[in-house]
């Protein structure tokens, strides 16, 4: 079968990283997909295996994406197309209609759309949830990355999403986690609190920084946040106003945050909402104790309701600081390897193949995984 993976770009987000993982895994199984991008840009582009074809639609503006993807479907007629994130998903569904092709469309919802677009300032973004309810039922399958996301989709009128957890624990990730750590703070005596993610309001690093300011009143520590985004000036100003500029670093994006995860004293996810936060899973796989907000959606599922990590209310500075201090004092929670297996590459790839092919693909005997339908 000819598989096409469609994304807006190859930015540093978790959805893009999952698509790279899937594309590379397909290629290693001699099921080489074509990756179609609205714009062939982004730091994760170089992580695709060299033999995977990449098509650049050169659509710098969203109004160009739909006609160019429509043209691609008419010319190449792939049997299956997998897209991810709400707006590319809507484009993919409209492109199939316009192209009048029989391409099987599977859309993957990676965030909680009722929250992602609920506070949008643009009317074009505010109507996305309504468009999801209108168009997603036309897909051949809808993949939700967590039960929380599936529930949000059902509220919008999308029947029976298929829940497939992100296949983010890969052999490559674990190998990278053992590489030498480049940041000097990991070679010192003070424990390092780690955050990883885009510097955007959704990730709420401001709450983490305020909580860390309370932590260092009790004990010495350092806070390192890997990532880049529009909130950098705001966060830097907050750090200076709290007088902790010598203890907090925002070094920017890094292609290998896993070496930091293996060496950090605690990993913290401070998000206001998510779909299924990859970084939380990856930190656990690297053996790092975790603290997370109990945000919709994903952290409670990943941590089994708090059994495998500390869950605190969203935006609660005092609770987040207390949880960090507890872990730094030795109160981290261990995670059995059996629990992490549901997030491994082999498990997720088998499930995606079943959904993409309409159950026609079967994994080798003893290795078959079945998707979870709500």
């Amino acid at each position: 079968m000819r598989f096409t993976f469609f994304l807006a770009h190859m930015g540093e987000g978790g959805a893009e990283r999952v698509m790279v993982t899937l594309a590379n895994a397909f290629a290693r199984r001699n099921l080489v997909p074509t990756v179609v991008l609205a714009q062939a840009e982004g730091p994760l582009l170089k992580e695709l295996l060299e033999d995977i074809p990449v098509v650049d639609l050169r659509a710098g503006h969203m109004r160009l994406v739909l006609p160019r993807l429509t043209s691609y479907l008419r010319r190449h007629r792939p049997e299956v197309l997998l897209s991810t994130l709400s707006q590319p998903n809507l484009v993919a569904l409209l492109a199939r209609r316009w192209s009048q092709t029989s391409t099987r469309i599977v859309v993957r919802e990676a965030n909680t759309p009722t929250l992602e677009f609920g506070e949008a300032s643009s009317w074009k973004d505010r109507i996305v949830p309504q468009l999801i309810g209108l168009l997603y039922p036309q897909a051949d399958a809808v993949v939700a990355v967590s039960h929380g996301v599936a529930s949000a989709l059902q509220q919008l009128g999308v029947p029976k999403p298929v829940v497939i957890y992100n296949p983010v624990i890969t052999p490559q990730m674990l190998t990278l986690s053992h590489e030498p750590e480049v940041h000097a703070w990991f070679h010192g005596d003070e424990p390092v609190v780690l955050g990883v993610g885009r510097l955007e309001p959704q990730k709420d690093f401001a709450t983490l920084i305020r909580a860390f300011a309370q932590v260092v009143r009790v004990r010495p520590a350092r806070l390192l946040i890997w990532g880049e985004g529009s909130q950098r000036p705001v966060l830097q100003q907050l750090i200076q106003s709290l007088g902790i500029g010598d203890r907090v670093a925002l070094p920017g994006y890094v292609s290998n945050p896993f070496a930091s995860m293996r060496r950090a004293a605690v990993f913290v996810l401070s998000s206001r909402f998510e779909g299924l936060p990859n970084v939380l899973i990856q930190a656990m796989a690297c053996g790092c104790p975790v603290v997370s907000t109990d945000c919709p959606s994903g952290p409670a599922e990943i941590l089994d309701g708090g059994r495998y990590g500390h869950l605190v209310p969203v935006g609660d500075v005092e609770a987040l600081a207390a949880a960090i201090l507890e872990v730094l004092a030795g109160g981290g929670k261990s995670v059995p390897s059996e629990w992490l297996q549901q997030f491994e590459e082999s498990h997720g790839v088998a499930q995606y193949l079943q959904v993409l092919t309409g159950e026609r693909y079967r994994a080798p005997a003893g290795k078959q995984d079945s998707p979870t339908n709500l």
Side-chain angles (χ1 to χ4, degrees), residues 121-132:
S121 57
S122 165
W123 68 267
K124 293 180 181 179
D125 289 336
R126 288 199 301 272
I127 66 171
V128 168
Q130 288 72 34
L131 292 174
I132 287 174

Side-chain angles (χ1 to χ4, degrees), residues 12 71 96 125 146 156 200 225 232 237 287 294 359 361:
E12 61 185 76
S71 177
R96 179 176 64 175
D125 289 336
S146 68
L156 296 175
E200 300 296 342
I225 301 175
R232 172 176 287 278
Q237 184 177 13
D294 190 10
E359 298 284 341
Y361 174 83

Side-chain angles (χ1 to χ4, degrees), residues 2-6 36 55 57 65-82 88-105:
R2 290 175 297 165
F3 298 93
T4 293
F5 287 9
F6 173 59
V36 177
V55 175
L57 297 180
V65 180
L66 178 55
R68 293 186 182 182
L69 183 61
T70 300
S71 177
Y72 174 85
L73 293 181
R74 282 179 183 152
R75 291 197 315 270
H76 298 279
R77 297 183 178 272
E79 280 88 353
V80 186
L81 181 145
L82 172 66
N89 291 343
L90 296 171
V91 169
L93 290 165
L94 288 171
R96 179 176 64 175
R97 178 186 294 182
W98 285 19
S99 65
Q100 297 182 324
T101 59
S102 59
T103 298
R104 178 177 173 83
I105 301 291

Side-chain angles (χ1 to χ4, degrees), residues 3-178:
F3 298 93
T4 293
F5 287 9
F6 173 59
L7 304 88
H9 51 73
M10 280 294 183
E12 61 185 76
E16 292 84 358
R17 187 172 288 278
V18 167
M19 293 290 266
V20 169
T21 296
L22 289 173
N24 288 345
F26 276 37
R28 285 190 286 269
R29 288 164 172 77
N30 296 319
L31 300 167
V32 181
T34 298
V35 174
V36 177
L37 301 171
Q39 280 195 295
E41 62 182 17
L44 295 181
L45 189 59
K46 65 179 183 296
E47 296 191 18
L48 283 171
L49 295 179
E50 292 183 359
D51 59 347
I52 296 177
V54 176
V55 175
D56 185 1
L57 297 180
R58 301 182 185 277
H61 196 282
M62 280 302 294
R63 69 172 180 268
L64 299 175
V65 180
L66 178 55
R68 293 186 182 182
L69 183 61
T70 300
S71 177
Y72 174 85
L73 293 181
R74 282 179 183 152
R75 291 197 315 270
H76 298 279
R77 297 183 178 272
E79 280 88 353
V80 186
L81 181 145
L82 172 66
S83 63
T84 190
L85 297 175
S86 302
Q87 291 165 323
N89 291 343
L90 296 171
V91 169
L93 290 165
L94 288 171
R96 179 176 64 175
R97 178 186 294 182
W98 285 19
S99 65
Q100 297 182 324
T101 59
S102 59
T103 298
R104 178 177 173 83
I105 301 291
V106 177
V107 298
R108 173 183 178 273
E109 187 53 66
N111 219 325
T112 306
T114 50
L115 296 174
E116 182 181 7
F117 299 102
E119 301 175 359
S121 57
S122 165
W123 68 267
K124 293 180 181 179
D125 289 336
R126 288 199 301 272
I127 66 171
V128 168
Q130 288 72 34
L131 292 174
I132 287 174
L134 180 66
L135 294 177
Y136 274 29
Q138 299 175 19
D140 293 282
V142 177
V143 173
V145 300
S146 68
H147 291 279
V149 170
S151 178
L153 289 173
Q154 288 177 315
Q155 291 173 26
L156 296 175
V158 181
K160 296 182 179 179
V162 179
V163 177
I164 304 179
Y165 286 151
N166 293 337
V168 298
I169 302 176
T170 68
Q172 296 78 15
M173 184 214 82
L174 295 174
T175 297
L176 287 170
S177 74
H178 289 283

